[in-house]
Amino acid sequence: MRIQENIILSPYTTFHIGGAAKYFVTVTSEEELIEALKWAKDKRLNILPLGAGSNLLISDKGFDGLVVKIDIGGIEKDRDFISCGAGEKLDTLVAFCVENGLQGMECLSGIPGSVGGSVVQNAGAFGQEICETLKEVHIVDTKTIEHKTIKKSDCAFTYRSSVLIGNNSMVVTKACFELHPVERTKISFESLKKELGDAADIKTIRDTILKERKLRSSFYDEKDPNSISAGCFFSNPIVERSCFERISRDFPDIPHWDDKERVKLSAGWMVEKSGFKRGHSEGNVGLSEKHALMVINKGGADAEEIKAFTQKIRETVKSVFGVEMAYEVIFID
C-alpha cells in the first residue's frame, strides 16, 4: 500500500475538476482497502471512496482526508450468477453479460462509471436500473473495519438513490447479480421500440444503445468536448399527478412517463423550455451541444463556476414550472 500526499484530483474525474487530496491511495483488493482504512482511522481522517469519478463535482479546495481509489477488479460467472469487483467499469460488466447471453443489463450499455458507483447510485437508462438484477453488495464498514454483506432488500433502492449514497461509512468492494439467459427480450422504452420493435436480441439492443450514446456524446471521451462532464447533472423530477396536470395545462406537450401513482417529467425538456438550449454557454461552463442535461467544462472551469451555472438553471426551471429539480451529480465539498 502506497499512501501519497497532495494529489490533484481533477485527472481522476470526468469533469476534470477538483483540488488536491491531502492523502491518496489506490487499492486493488479488499485486504488493501482494510489496511488503508485502518491507517486512516489511526490518523482520524475522513474517507472519500473514488471509483471512475464520473458522477462527482469535487471542490476546488480538494479533500482534507484520505481519498481511496477503488481499483478492485474481476468478473466471475457461476451459471446465471455474476460477481464483479467494485472497480470494474460498468460497461465492461454489461459487455460480459451480453457476450454470455445473460439478459438484464443490456440497457445500461455505455454508462460511464464503475460498478461500485453504479450500485451506490442505482444507475439506470432506457427503462432499466442496476438494482433489478442485483442480489447483494459486499462492503467494508469504515467504522468497524469489517466486511459485511448487504442484501438487495436492505439497500432501499429508489430512482437514482440507495442507502449507500453519500454514506462513506460503507465502501463497496463487490456486487453480485442474477441474470437470465434469453435469445430475445421485450423492450419497454419507447425510443428503442421505435427503432427495434417490441423485442430484440440483447446484442442488438446493446449495439443500438451504444450508437445512440455516441451520437449524444454520452460516452466519456477526453477528445470530445461535449463529454467533459459528470453525465446528467439533474435527475428527471417525479411529481404528484396534480402537479403534472397543472404543468400540462400550460405545456401540453411536456414529455412524461407514469411512475406508479406519480408522474416522471423530462428534466432535459424543461431545461430547454426554460431558455437554456443545447450549446448554451457562460464563461468556462456550458451545456453539451447534444444533450441539455449534460453540463460541460469547456476548459478551465472550477467547481464554483459549475455550481453557480447549475443553480441558475435550477432556479429558472423552478420559476417556469414550479418544480425543483434534484441534482444527480454528487457534490464533494
Side-chain angles (χ1 to χ4, degrees), residues 35-78:
E35 184 182 357
L37 293 178
K38 286 179 177 178
W39 183 88
K41 188 173 184 179
D42 288 343
K43 293 185 175 295
R44 298 182 180 180
L45 295 172
N46 290 325
I47 298 292
L48 174 63
L50 179 65
S54 62
N55 200 49
L56 298 176
L57 178 62
I58 298 178
S59 167
D60 307 312
K61 296 180 293 185
F63 185 76
D64 187 22
L66 175 65
V67 172
V68 183
K69 180 76 170 68
I70 307 297
D71 274 357
I72 302 172
I75 303 174
E76 296 180 358
K77 178 180 180 294
D78 181 7

Side-chain angles (χ1 to χ4, degrees), residues 6 15 43 46 71 73 84 101 116 140 144 214 226 276 312 316:
N6 298 317
F15 237 150
K43 293 185 175 295
N46 290 325
D71 274 357
C84 184
V140 173
T144 63
K214 187 173 183 180
N226 282 298
F276 297 91
K312 180 179 179 180
T316 306

